[in-house]
Amino acid sequence: MLRQALLALSASKKTRELILATPVTRDVVSRFVAGETAADALAATERLISQGLHVTIDFLGEDTVDPDQATAVADEYIGLLRRLSETDLSARGRAEVSVKPTAVGLGLPDHGEKTARENIARIAAAARNAGTTVTVDMEDHTRIDATLRIVSELRADFPDLGCVIQSYLRRSADDCLDLAEAGSRVRLCKGAYRAPEGIGLANKADVDLSYARCMRILLDGPGYPMLATHDPRLIQIVGSKAQLVGREPGSFEYQMLYGIRPDEQARLAAEGAQVRVYLPYGSDWYGYLVRRLAERPANLAFFLRALSSRK
Ligand code: FDA
């Protein structure tokens, strides 16, 4: 309920201006975002890789309204991948990238899907040259069909192009069944957006149950599941299920967000599991920050405390 109210409030222009104008916001942002530049992202990536973790880098931005900006976002990814390759960070897929379809044009009024597909293809080609992969993030429920279509079409040329399924949607188990095939890389998360009653599950317990069901489908299948959650109970269930079906470490991975439960990331990696950290960078961090604050009252409290203690 609080989460839904926060996500709705954050869409208001006034709230956005207030949060952006607040000096302490930057301190809170730095907890979840690696920095504003590609150099910041590379430095954080190098640090995480030296700790035995894998990384997927997200250049922050969404809802691009101009084709030139969509091209510029794709170019940023291509430049980033070149630098990952030069520094050897992308070797054996240790660092890959995550791309939001609306950041590369999906929401454009004219030829949005085509623009996003072409830009993602350019990024996927650069990733292949760098010896690594791309995962296409999933955004709100109105973008799902177009996003899955883009991924399915591009997988003919880039079979390792990954996609994301969100367990808060009623359709997700069916999507997992469709995607649980050899070679497919699927990230499963709970979902950070809102959906109307008939489309999404409103109750947290139902979202968790759906996550467990989707996870079983993916781990039972022949693909490469990427289980993205910080939820201790679900992480435990993933471990048990993986053991039950004889999944070796390296045949699936855990994923968590930068700055969230770093001790758990380290613990799993120390046990030999493959753990990938989703590492965002860039100056367009507003939408990302709001979703992290809305996810957890403690994060909001941290933000409000910082506000009230400002000089
Ligand atoms: P849940 O929110 O129930 O939290 C379980 C526990 O985890 C909490 O009790 C707390 O201990 C910890 N925790 C969770 N969030 C926290 C936070 N913000 N701060 C501190 N502690 C926190 N979503 C989407 O819609 N599309 C996408 O493409 C992606 N991509 C993605 C990639 C990766 C690698 C991750 C980890 C997550 C995403 N997400 C996403 C976000 C995802 O949908 C979800 O919103 C968050 O992961 C939070 O859900 P949990 O599964 O962690 O459970």
Side-chain angles (χ1 to χ4, degrees), residues 9 20 38 41 75 108 110 128 146 168 171 174 273 294 297 307:
L9 184 69
L20 290 177
D75 290 345
L108 293 176
D110 296 321
R128 179 151 64 198
Y168 84 114
R171 61 181 282 170
D174 287 340
L307 273 185

Coordinates of all heavy atoms in Angstrom, one line a residue, residues 9 20 38 41 75 108 110 128 146 168 171 174 273 294 297 307:
L9 N 3.1 8.9 -6.0 CA 3.5 10.2 -5.6 C 4.8 10.7 -6.4 O 4.9 11.8 -6.9 CB 3.8 10.2 -4.1 CG 4.2 11.6 -3.5 CD1 3.0 12.5 -3.5 CD2 4.7 11.4 -2.1
L20 N 14.9 16.2 -6.3 CA 16.1 16.6 -7.0 C 16.8 17.8 -6.4 O 18.0 17.9 -6.5 CB 15.8 16.9 -8.5 CG 15.4 15.6 -9.3 CD1 15.0 16.0 -10.7 CD2 16.5 14.6 -9.4
A38 N 31.0 6.7 -16.6 CA 31.5 5.4 -16.9 C 32.7 5.0 -16.1 O 32.9 3.8 -15.7 CB 31.8 5.3 -18.5
A41 N 31.7 3.7 -12.9 CA 31.1 2.4 -13.0 C 32.2 1.3 -13.2 O 32.2 0.3 -12.5 CB 30.2 2.3 -14.2
D75 N 25.0 4.4 -27.7 CA 26.4 4.7 -27.9 C 27.2 4.6 -26.6 O 28.3 4.2 -26.6 CB 26.6 6.1 -28.6 CG 26.1 6.1 -30.0 OD1 25.9 5.0 -30.6 OD2 25.9 7.2 -30.6
L108 N 9.1 5.7 -27.9 CA 9.0 6.8 -28.9 C 7.7 6.6 -29.6 O 7.2 5.5 -29.9 CB 10.1 6.7 -29.9 CG 11.5 7.0 -29.4 CD1 12.6 6.8 -30.5 CD2 11.7 8.4 -28.9
D110 N 6.8 7.3 -32.7 CA 7.0 6.7 -34.0 C 8.1 5.6 -34.0 O 9.2 5.9 -33.7 CB 7.3 7.8 -35.1 CG 6.2 8.8 -35.2 OD1 5.0 8.4 -35.1 OD2 6.5 10.0 -35.2
R128 N 29.1 -8.9 -27.7 CA 29.7 -10.1 -28.3 C 31.2 -9.8 -28.5 O 32.1 -10.7 -28.2 CB 29.0 -10.5 -29.5 CG 29.6 -11.7 -30.1 CD 28.6 -12.6 -30.9 NE 28.1 -11.9 -32.0 CZ 26.9 -12.2 -32.7 NH1 26.2 -13.2 -32.2 NH2 26.5 -11.5 -33.7
A146 N 6.0 -6.1 -26.1 CA 7.0 -5.6 -27.0 C 8.4 -6.0 -26.6 O 9.3 -6.4 -27.5 CB 6.9 -4.0 -27.1
Y168 N 5.4 -10.6 -10.0 CA 4.2 -9.9 -9.5 C 3.1 -10.0 -10.6 O 2.0 -9.5 -10.3 CB 4.5 -8.5 -9.0 CG 4.5 -7.4 -10.1 CD1 3.5 -6.4 -10.1 CD2 5.5 -7.4 -11.1 CE1 3.5 -5.4 -11.1 CE2 5.5 -6.4 -12.0 CZ 4.5 -5.5 -12.1 OH 4.6 -4.5 -13.0
R171 N 0.8 -13.5 -15.4 CA 1.2 -14.2 -16.6 C 2.5 -14.9 -16.5 O 3.0 -15.6 -17.4 CB 1.2 -13.2 -17.8 CG 2.2 -12.1 -17.6 CD 2.3 -11.1 -18.8 NE 3.0 -11.6 -19.9 CZ 3.1 -11.1 -21.1 NH1 2.4 -10.0 -21.3 NH2 3.8 -11.6 -22.1
D174 N 3.5 -18.6 -17.0 CA 3.4 -19.0 -18.5 C 4.6 -18.5 -19.3 O 5.2 -19.2 -20.1 CB 2.1 -18.5 -19.1 CG 0.9 -19.2 -18.5 OD1 1.1 -20.4 -18.0 OD2 -0.2 -18.7 -18.6
A273 N 29.0 -19.9 -5.0 CA 27.9 -19.6 -5.9 C 28.3 -18.5 -6.9 O 29.2 -17.7 -6.5 CB 26.7 -19.2 -5.2
A294 N 10.8 3.0 -2.4 CA 9.4 2.5 -2.2 C 9.4 1.0 -1.8 O 8.5 0.5 -1.2 CB 8.7 2.6 -3.6
P297 N 10.5 0.3 3.6 CA 10.3 1.5 4.5 C 11.6 1.9 5.1 O 11.8 3.1 5.3 CB 9.3 0.9 5.5 CG 8.6 -0.2 4.9 CD 9.6 -0.8 3.9
L307 N 17.3 13.9 5.6 CA 16.7 15.2 5.3 C 16.6 16.0 6.6 O 16.9 17.2 6.6 CB 15.2 15.0 4.8 CG 15.0 14.8 3.3 CD1 13.5 14.7 3.1 CD2 15.6 15.9 2.5

